[in-house]
Amino acid sequence: APLGNWAARQHTCEEASLVMVDRYLHGDHSGALIDPHTADAEINQVTAWKPAQDLTIQQVGDLAQKYMGWAYKVLPADRLNMKQQLALGRPLIFGVRTHGLGNGNYPGYYSHHDQPGWSVSHYLVVAGYDQNDTYILNDPGITRGHGYHISYDQLMYAVDDLDQAYPALNSGRVFLVLAPFTNSASN
């Protein structure tokens, strides 16, 4: 919700995640927040392309390929795959359930943890990892989501939590990675 209109942006995490990754893959490696009006316009554009309110990870990849021109893969979310893709300069898009992330900055995290409507299906970007084997998130779901550190186990818990709470979105422990089209089979 780049303009602070959280109620109107309840279902645009796929869009925000795609916008962040698209900008990064097009060379914006500044790590700075995107201008709010620019981000809002880009999110609106991606919303116009969405076939449904909530998308599976495969549908997010299909959308990125069809409208943004990226090749994509859905890969198993093990540490090796994640670190290899990040080392190649490819941010990772994950489907999770918000409160499964363990981030107390989410509204209702402490008071309404498992109540419907408080912990919801969500997409975010894993932008890196550090020496402590924690992953660095760019989470468009909350104001304090930029640069949030999370353990591998906590991230997998949030993925598993999504699969249990939203069976229609169940993809298992996987992530989406976008990259330019190539003829090489090694990417």
Side-chain angles (χ1 to χ4, degrees):
L3 300 179
N5 53 347
W6 292 99
R9 293 292 187 202
Q10 289 293 316
H11 297 281
T12 60
C13 55
E14 296 101 326
E15 293 93 322
S17 295
L18 283 171
V19 166
M20 287 188 286
V21 171
D22 182 65
R23 290 179 69 87
Y24 181 84
L25 293 175
H26 275 105
D28 181 354
H29 299 172
S30 69
L33 296 178
I34 302 168
D35 169 76
H37 293 285
T38 301
D40 195 61
E42 290 179 13
I43 288 168
N44 287 339
Q45 178 60 64
V46 178
T47 298
W49 300 330
K50 273 176 76 173
Q53 180 172 283
D54 293 319
L55 303 180
T56 66
I57 203 154
Q58 182 76 36
Q59 289 173 311
V60 174
D62 290 343
L63 191 144
Q65 183 174 11
K66 183 176 181 180
Y67 295 103
M68 301 173 105
W70 296 111
Y72 75 91
K73 288 185 180 179
V74 176
L75 297 171
D78 59 58
R79 284 178 174 94
L80 180 61
N81 277 339
M82 292 169 63
K83 289 179 179 179
Q84 283 178 337
Q85 292 302 313
L86 290 166
L88 289 169
R90 299 173 181 164
L92 318 176
I93 299 175
F94 270 89
V96 298
R97 189 168 180 216
T98 54
H99 289 183
L101 296 167
N103 186 336
N105 292 303
Y106 269 101
Y109 179 78
Y110 295 106
S111 59
H112 300 88
H113 189 75
D114 266 338
Q115 291 179 353
W118 289 91
S119 186
V120 296
S121 65
H122 184 50
Y123 280 91
L124 53 76
V125 176
V126 174
Y129 62 95
D130 63 21
Q131 303 88 340
N132 297 323
D133 198 34
T134 61
Y135 292 85
I136 304 163
L137 306 183
N138 281 338
D139 183 346
I142 54 176
T143 303
R144 293 185 177 160
H146 181 73
Y148 183 76
H149 287 245
I150 188 171
S151 71
Y152 174 82
D153 290 338
Q154 187 73 50
L155 180 58
M156 290 306 105
Y157 176 80
V159 170
D160 294 344
D161 195 24
L162 171 71
D163 291 348
Q164 292 169 8
Y166 295 88
L169 300 177
N170 184 346
S171 298
R173 289 186 172 189
V174 296
F175 63 88
L176 175 68
V177 63
L178 307 179
F181 282 99
T182 178
N183 292 328
S184 171
S186 66
N187 286 355

